[in-house]
Amino acid sequence: MMCVRARPLFSSPLSLAFSPTKHSPPNHLRLPLSSSSSSRRSLSAAAMSSSSTPQIIEHIVLFKVKPETDSSKIASMMNGLNGLVSLSQVIHISAAPLHRVRSSPSAFTHVLHSRYGSKEDLNAYAAHPYHVRVVKESVLPICDDVMAVDWVADRVPGTLAPPPGSAAKLTFLRLKENLAGDAKSEIVDVIKGLSEKLPGIDQITVGENFSPARAKGFSIASIAFFKDLGELETVDVQTELVNVEKEKVREYVDSTIVVEFVVPSGLVSGL
């Protein structure tokens, strides 16, 4: 979505105060909390029952904020992005600074994670004038680099809106060229199995990216949520088990991005 008109930046990725800014949702988008939550509950239920196979669309945007950017402008970007929860298509949205970058070819600083009931909902969100305005006024002027990845989750998470304080680990894989056709399936299966082998994981989804234009060649993505940073660290120290799983797919992988963030407080969930 580098074009702000028809292809917004996020179409198909500290403690900051989320106080109202000039990017707060316009009045016609403001709903009482009970009404907003009820509306989205009905919307997501309808979306996930519209086919015989329920689905959740994961949408991730990574941002590299210019190093000289004033903190007030960064806060404005975070407030504007988190305010997009008011849009009816959004089941969950969370924008936050990165807690840690474990592996990345680019020095990303912030992340947005959101969930939708269908690809159509994601497209409607991306084209919405309020979203386009936030991108044009608060994101593009202060970012050096942006990448986005979208995938159909392999399962519908038990908790669609991870609670504040949850820690998340994002993993993007760029695969080597000319791999056998079953290589991607093998990688996805290995990642799926992590939730059984690493009990500290509250939920994990994985899938193939369906928005290649902004993904910098990364074709498989996953997001794992933990109760908090302590639980994430507990899993990370299990290096022997983690390395065994990595070794199963190492020969297929050309490059990785692994980043972590904490779901911020002060958010209004869509569900």
Side-chain angles (χ1 to χ4, degrees):
M1 161 179 107
M2 297 309 294
C3 171
V4 174
R5 182 176 150 269
R7 268 180 53 196
L9 183 60
F10 312 132
S11 66
S12 25
L14 304 162
S15 173
L16 292 174
F18 298 106
S19 55
T21 69
K22 67 178 181 178
H23 300 304
S24 296
N27 289 335
H28 74 281
L29 293 175
R30 293 179 178 273
L31 294 172
L33 177 56
S34 59
S35 172
S36 176
S37 299
S38 174
S39 297
R40 274 190 204 83
R41 237 180 245 112
S42 300
L43 175 71
S44 78
M48 289 191 287
S49 64
S50 62
S51 78
S52 57
T53 305
Q55 67 175 14
I56 285 294
I57 305 300
E58 303 276 24
H59 174 59
I60 300 289
V61 185
L62 292 176
F63 310 89
K64 180 183 177 183
V65 173
K66 298 174 183 177
E68 70 277 7
T69 303
D70 187 87
S71 61
S72 64
K73 293 183 178 180
I74 299 175
S76 178
M77 180 178 79
M78 294 288 96
N79 288 334
L81 293 172
N82 281 306
L84 295 171
V85 72
S86 65
L87 302 185
S88 62
Q89 298 85 5
V90 177
I91 292 175
H92 166 72
I93 197 165
S94 174
L98 292 176
H99 169 69
R100 178 162 47 199
V101 177
R102 290 189 173 272
S103 174
S104 176
S106 183
F108 293 111
T109 59
H110 293 74
V111 62
L112 177 140
H113 168 233
S114 53
R115 285 174 166 166
Y116 308 84
S118 67
K119 291 181 181 180
E120 291 76 17
D121 282 352
L122 172 59
N123 291 335
Y125 154 86
H128 195 284
Y130 176 40
H131 170 266
V132 173
R133 186 167 71 251
V134 169
V135 171
K136 181 179 179 181
E137 296 180 3
S138 295
V139 176
L140 294 180
I142 69 170
C143 288
D144 275 335
D145 194 13
V146 177
M147 72 171 286
V149 176
D150 304 309
W151 72 95
V152 179
D154 62 297
R155 68 196 79 184
V156 177
T159 302
L160 293 179
S166 301
K169 181 188 289 288
L170 283 166
T171 303
F172 300 153
L173 304 179
R174 183 165 58 204
L175 306 184
K176 294 178 180 178
E177 296 182 0
N178 303 318
L179 291 178
D182 58 352
K184 286 186 179 181
S185 296
E186 184 177 343
I187 294 169
V188 168
D189 286 343
V190 169
I191 297 174
K192 283 181 183 179
L194 292 178
S195 59
E196 297 176 1
K197 297 177 180 179
L198 300 171
I201 299 176
D202 284 349
Q203 61 172 265
I204 185 170
T205 78
V206 59
E208 293 188 37
N209 174 50
F210 61 79
S211 301
R214 290 161 295 281
K216 301 181 183 292
F218 289 84
S219 59
I220 293 182
S222 70
I223 185 167
F225 281 96
F226 305 78
K227 178 182 177 182
D228 51 32
L229 282 173
E231 287 293 325
L232 188 155
E233 297 290 351
T234 298
V235 171
D236 280 347
V237 298
Q238 301 180 49
T239 54
E240 184 174 348
L241 177 56
V242 171
N243 287 337
V244 167
E245 298 306 306
K246 286 182 179 179
E247 200 59 39
K248 294 178 181 178
V249 300
R250 192 182 303 277
E251 63 178 304
Y252 304 137
V253 177
D254 178 63
S255 180
T256 63
I257 292 177
V258 181
V259 299
E260 300 165 357
F261 70 96
V262 176
V263 178
S265 59
L267 302 180
V268 177
S269 171
L271 289 177

